[in-house]
Every structure is written in C-alpha cells, then in structure tokens.
Amino acid sequence: MKLGRELVSADAIQRRVREMAAEISRDYARVDQPLILLPVLKGSVCFATDLSRHLEVPVNFDYVAVSSYGSGTESSGHVQLLKDLTMDVAGRDVLMVEDIIDTGLTTAFLFEHVQRHRPASLKLSVLLNKEERRIKPVPIAYKGFDIPNQFVVGYGLDYNELYRNLTAVHVLEP
Ligand code: IMP
Ligand code: MG
C-alpha cells in the first residue's frame, strides 16, 4: 500500500474545523461547567487539538481509547475498551471527538458506554464520514466532510501506525 492523492487539503480541513468550532461555541455558550471534550485515541488527536484551539468556551479534556481488533484497512467490529474515562462525567456536557466514522460500530459502542455514566448531554463531532459503509447508525451533531468509501490516512488517521502526522487527508493506494 502507498500514499495516494490528496482527498481533503490542509486548508480545507483548517477552514472547516474553524466553522465547526464556531458552531460548537455558539451551542455551548450558556453551559455553566466546562464542556468535556472526549477525543478517541489515537486518530482524533489532530482534529481535537485544532478544534479546541478555536473554541470560545471553557473546556476540559478526557480521552478514551479502543481497539477494534484487526489491522490493515478493515475494522473487525469487535470493539474493546483500552482506556476508560478518568473524569466523572455525570451531569456534565460531553462532546465526543472522532476522526472518522466508517461502519459506526466503534462510535456506537463508545457512545453507549459514555451514556451509561449519565452525562447531562452527550454529542458527537466527527471530521470524516463514510456514510456508505454504515452498519450501525450514530447521531452526528457536528460533521466535517462526507467522503467516499475509500481508505484514507493523514491528519491523525493511520495505516499500520503510519501517516498520522500529515496535514492533509490522502487516499491510500495498493
Ligand atoms: P468503524 O467502527 O468502522 O466506524 O471505524 C472505526 C475505526 O476504524 C475508526 O475510528 C478508525 O480508527 C478506523 N478507520 C475506519 N476507516 C478508516 C480510514 O479510512 N482510514 C483510517 N482509519 C479508518
Ligand atoms: Mg478512531
């Protein structure tokens, strides 16, 4: 597999991230405790970091990590929690931050997991959405881009742990 053409440019990502941050800042302007940003490791780190720097509301960070068993370009659907919440999210406003939603299995699992801790609200922001691949529906509150059914890397997303540091999103090619 090798790095293919650019699908979403660094400029387009930065522009969209600023728009999303403005929308999120408006929606959470009136909450009395800091919004808890909950990036899903590791892929969401670039997106969550950039997004947070444009937010105009107070935030806390917590992180969760999952493995979906299996490498390469197919997720297996068996989701395992590798790192749990460390903050008490009960009664708090939580915004999960995802890099990409493909089948939806990972996000649906995490969403249900966080919901069990009784947050005041739980919403989902995602940079990239592959709608065509959805198996399990997930409620996306803030969406960056719809993309076609292709395996992509960059801006946090990896192929066998490579390419996470790219500033743009690229297609991976055989
Ligand atoms: P889902 O459970 O199928 O929605 O996808 C779960 C995870 O698979 C995502 O959080 C990513 O870590 C990974 N994934 C899915 N599609 C891609 C892709 O195109 N590039 C890199 N990782 C991906
Ligand atoms: Mg991920």
Side-chain angles (χ1 to χ4, degrees):
M1 303 294 276
K2 67 172 172 44
L3 194 64
R5 71 185 172 90
E6 187 179 278
L7 187 68
V8 191
S9 72
D11 278 357
I13 293 172
Q14 293 305 321
R15 244 191 332 268
R16 188 73 193 108
V17 167
R18 278 197 298 275
E19 290 170 359
M20 294 171 83
E23 201 182 334
I24 293 166
S25 297
R26 276 196 297 277
D27 292 353
Y28 290 93
R30 272 172 285 280
V31 301
D32 40 65
Q33 290 191 79
L35 170 65
I36 297 181
L37 291 181
L38 188 64
V40 181
L41 298 172
K42 304 171 199 175
S44 306
V45 164
C46 294
F47 174 43
T49 303
D50 283 346
L51 186 72
S52 73
R53 288 190 281 207
H54 294 292
L55 290 176
E56 289 166 8
V57 292
V59 297
N60 294 160
F61 272 99
D62 204 0
Y63 298 88
V64 287
V66 287
S67 80
S68 73
Y69 288 105
S71 58
T73 59
E74 282 296 321
S75 85
S76 68
H78 297 277
V79 186
Q80 189 194 12
L81 195 64
L82 296 178
K83 187 206 168 300
D84 204 348
L85 296 162
T86 62
M87 300 184 82
D88 181 6
V89 303
R92 300 286 301 273
D93 295 288
V94 179
L95 182 61
M96 257 178 66
V97 184
E98 269 281 24
D99 49 357
I100 189 164
I101 303 187
D102 187 25
T103 63
L105 293 166
T106 307
T107 309
F109 169 88
L110 275 172
F111 206 85
E112 284 160 29
H113 176 73
V114 177
Q115 203 76 68
R116 279 196 291 275
H117 289 80
R118 302 260 164 242
S121 73
L122 175 61
K123 290 211 273 187
L124 174 64
S125 61
V126 60
L127 184 71
L128 304 171
N129 181 43
K130 286 192 210 169
E131 192 66 36
E132 206 185 307
R133 296 257 305 165
R134 199 61 33 85
I135 292 172
K136 191 120 188 200
V138 283
I140 303 177
Y142 309 98
K143 181 173 68 180
F145 301 91
D146 283 302
I147 61 165
N149 180 17
Q150 284 177 303
F151 196 84
V152 293
V153 295
Y155 199 65
L157 293 148
D158 76 305
Y159 170 68
N160 290 344
E161 294 301 327
L162 264 176
Y163 308 122
R164 292 193 194 275
N165 59 319
L166 304 182
T167 55
V169 170
H170 291 254
V171 171
L172 196 72
E173 283 172 355

